[in-house]
Amino acid sequence: MASSVHINQALLITPSEPTPNHILPLSALDSQLFVRFTFEYLLVYEPRPGADRHAIAHNVKSALARALVPYYPLAGRVRARADGLGLEVVCRAQGVAFIDATSTSTTVSEFESAPRHEAQWWNFLSLHVADVLIGAPPLIVQFTWLHDGGAALAVGFNHCLCDGIGSGEFLNSFAELALGQPALRGPRPIWSRHLLDPVGPSRVGSLSLLEFESVPDISGLAARFSWERLVPTCITFDKSRLDEMKKLAGPGRTSFDVLSGHVWRSWARALDLARDQRVKLAFSVNVRQRVRPSLPSGYYGNAFVLGCAEARVADLAEKGLGFAAEAVAGAKERVGEERVREVVESVSWKRASVDPVGVLVLTQWSRLGLQSVDFGMGRPVQVGPVCCSKYCTVLPVCGVDNALKVNLAVPLTALDQYLYFLTNIDV
């Protein structure tokens, strides 16, 4: 069953001061099909002795209104442009959704492990936007008091307006205002979406991008993921475990290389696929410093492209962690300025999207600063997605340096094998 959550109040929060009244174009990367959804964070806070619930809720709402002044496009509404080639945001200070709620049964300790099913924590963000282009608020915030006096903060962002780094900067700025800061201390938010639009004549017909190509489904993957129940998992890797994996993979590999390669390899092996089945790992690569000129500090739009590694299942199984980690590292290295411009050109004509068959999509939230977001309850003790799905999320372990947590829902019939492979790095 889903957690019991009672909504006390739901309202629209508008900017605390007048903001520009105009229409802003979104970039080609903002407009791509792949980001037309809402991504959702869930941050959990331990009980704080003497916490004044009324004051904290008031501070959060007041800070949200103040944060929406410099971040005023988040209070607008996203729509398709009339030319059909991209998206835009109509800025009329329409407001963001804020929900104040109470859970009658859930305690902080229940968030320490994976949810029992994908939607167990669904009610901690009571408004879910299925279509981000139909006029819904692009930002939804729900503050829920838990049964034991702790709290959960769930936030949904329209991905068309910002990426993970941008959302992390917003949340930390918003939190600082809730703690009484008179103004933003972090990077001043910058729009400048034109910096990631196509330049020069189109070459879209001649481009070939691995992340947007389909793999032959010789193992019935599409059917399997459509009918089989997915079971959430959550496994932590501490620094010593990550160091072991680096030694096993060979010199020069980062924690991201080895962990993502290990997860990809474990997932592919656990699914018991045909040896010649090709599978891909797709992951976001921040390009703020990979284009020239580099994007300005405070740019909070989508500034990532997908790195993509591809291999046969037999090679992943037989060639070991070093092979998988090398494939990940190579995919990262291929994302240079030319690659970014090729992706921008492709997605600007709506001809490119990711086919999910045979692809493990991985996103890294461990460097977004989510573990430092303090609204008056101290730092969170757990950070993760509202729903644990077939998309893999790499998370920080709150209060533990250099440790990472992996959230992924896998088909029930693959669960035992996946956990075995994931927890045994040398098999």
Side-chain angles (χ1 to χ4, degrees):
M1 293 179 60
S3 300
S4 176
V5 173
H6 173 73
I7 296 175
N8 304 317
Q9 184 185 47
L11 67 160
L12 285 174
I13 301 288
T14 56
S16 61
E17 300 174 16
T19 55
N21 189 329
H22 57 187
I23 297 173
L24 292 172
L26 289 161
S27 75
L29 291 185
D30 294 325
S31 301
Q32 62 183 311
L33 297 176
F34 186 65
V35 299
R36 296 187 184 187
F37 68 96
T38 300
F39 62 94
E40 302 170 343
Y41 299 133
L42 182 62
L43 284 62
V44 181
Y45 299 85
E46 286 184 324
R48 191 160 191 174
D52 184 333
R53 292 190 178 192
H54 177 76
I56 290 174
H58 171 78
N59 291 341
V60 169
K61 286 187 284 187
S62 175
L64 182 55
R66 292 169 61 202
L68 289 175
V69 176
Y71 283 98
Y72 69 91
L74 293 179
R77 298 294 182 266
V78 178
R79 70 183 186 187
R81 294 207 309 252
D83 60 12
L85 296 179
L87 305 178
E88 61 191 13
V89 54
V90 180
C91 301
R92 301 280 188 267
Q94 297 97 317
V96 307
F98 179 83
I99 301 166
D100 175 51
T102 304
S103 173
T104 58
S105 60
T106 308
T107 61
V108 171
S109 63
E110 295 181 44
F111 296 95
E112 293 175 359
S113 55
R116 292 185 297 276
H117 54 85
E118 288 182 82
Q120 182 180 347
W121 299 328
W122 182 259
N123 289 340
F124 286 95
L125 192 65
S126 301
L127 176 59
H128 299 268
V129 178
D131 186 344
V132 298
L133 304 184
I134 60 171
L139 176 62
I140 301 157
V141 178
Q142 179 168 327
F143 198 87
T144 304
W145 290 104
L146 303 177
H147 184 64
D148 59 356
L153 182 83
V155 189
F157 286 91
N158 183 328
H159 211 328
C160 301
L161 279 176
C162 62
D163 65 4
I165 291 174
S167 68
E169 290 177 351
F170 170 81
L171 286 175
N172 276 285
S173 295
F174 167 23
E176 288 175 356
L177 294 176
L179 291 178
Q181 286 295 328
L184 298 187
R185 291 194 302 181
R188 194 73 181 172
I190 300 293
W191 189 254
S192 299
R193 303 300 170 100
H194 65 281
L195 296 175
L196 289 176
D197 274 335
V199 293
S202 175
R203 297 172 298 135
V204 71
S206 63
L207 298 179
S208 177
L209 302 177
L210 179 63
E211 58 269 36
F212 300 132
E213 297 174 356
S214 300
V215 297
D217 185 4
I218 64 174
S219 302
L221 278 164
R224 185 173 182 184
F225 274 88
S226 66
W227 64 262
E228 190 168 350
R229 181 167 72 90
L230 299 181
V231 182
T233 68
C234 181
I235 301 294
T236 297
F237 294 80
D238 61 16
K239 182 179 185 302
S240 63
R241 199 65 165 160
L242 292 170
D243 286 344
E244 278 186 71
M245 293 166 67
K246 289 179 187 177
K247 290 180 182 177
L248 192 62
R253 298 297 171 232
T254 66
S255 294
F256 178 82
D257 296 339
V258 297
L259 182 58
S260 54
H262 179 56
V263 174
W264 179 36
R265 184 171 179 255
S266 300
W267 173 82
R269 296 171 77 191
L271 290 172
D272 195 25
L273 306 174
R275 287 175 52 82
D276 286 334
Q277 175 68 58
R278 301 198 70 82
V279 290
K280 295 193 288 190
L281 177 74
F283 54 91
S284 57
V285 178
N286 175 20
V287 301
R288 284 168 170 77
Q289 304 300 319
R290 296 187 181 223
V291 294
R292 294 292 178 268
S294 58
L295 299 182
S297 175
Y299 185 95
Y300 62 99
N302 287 285
F304 75 93
V305 301
L306 292 177
C308 187
E310 181 177 352
R312 291 191 318 137
V313 169
D315 290 333
L316 285 174
E318 296 165 9
K319 295 183 179 180
L321 178 58
F323 172 81
E326 183 179 2
V328 173
K332 280 194 312 185
E333 291 166 5
R334 288 193 293 273
V335 180
E337 182 170 20
E338 179 64 20
R339 188 67 167 184
V340 174
R341 295 303 173 188
E342 289 176 349
V343 173
V344 165
E345 198 170 299
S346 288
V347 300
S348 68
W349 293 95
K350 294 187 179 181
R351 297 184 184 180
S353 190
V354 176
D355 184 339
V357 175
V359 182
L360 177 62
V361 178
L362 182 147
T363 181
Q364 186 177 24
W365 290 3
S366 57
R367 295 185 175 182
L368 305 183
L370 299 177
Q371 64 270 38
S372 64
V373 176
D374 178 4
F375 288 86
M377 292 287 291
R379 292 190 171 195
V381 292
Q382 301 293 337
V383 170
V386 171
C387 293
C388 183
S389 70
K390 65 180 181 180
Y391 301 109
C392 181
T393 310
V394 178
L395 303 166
V397 180
C398 296
V400 181
D401 292 336
N402 302 311
L404 296 170
K405 187 164 56 175
V406 176
N407 273 32
L408 177 63
V410 297
L412 177 60
T413 55
L415 177 63
D416 291 342
Q417 281 283 81
Y418 172 73
L419 292 176
Y420 171 76
F421 287 133
L422 198 65
T423 54
N424 292 275
I425 63 175
D426 54 353
V427 298

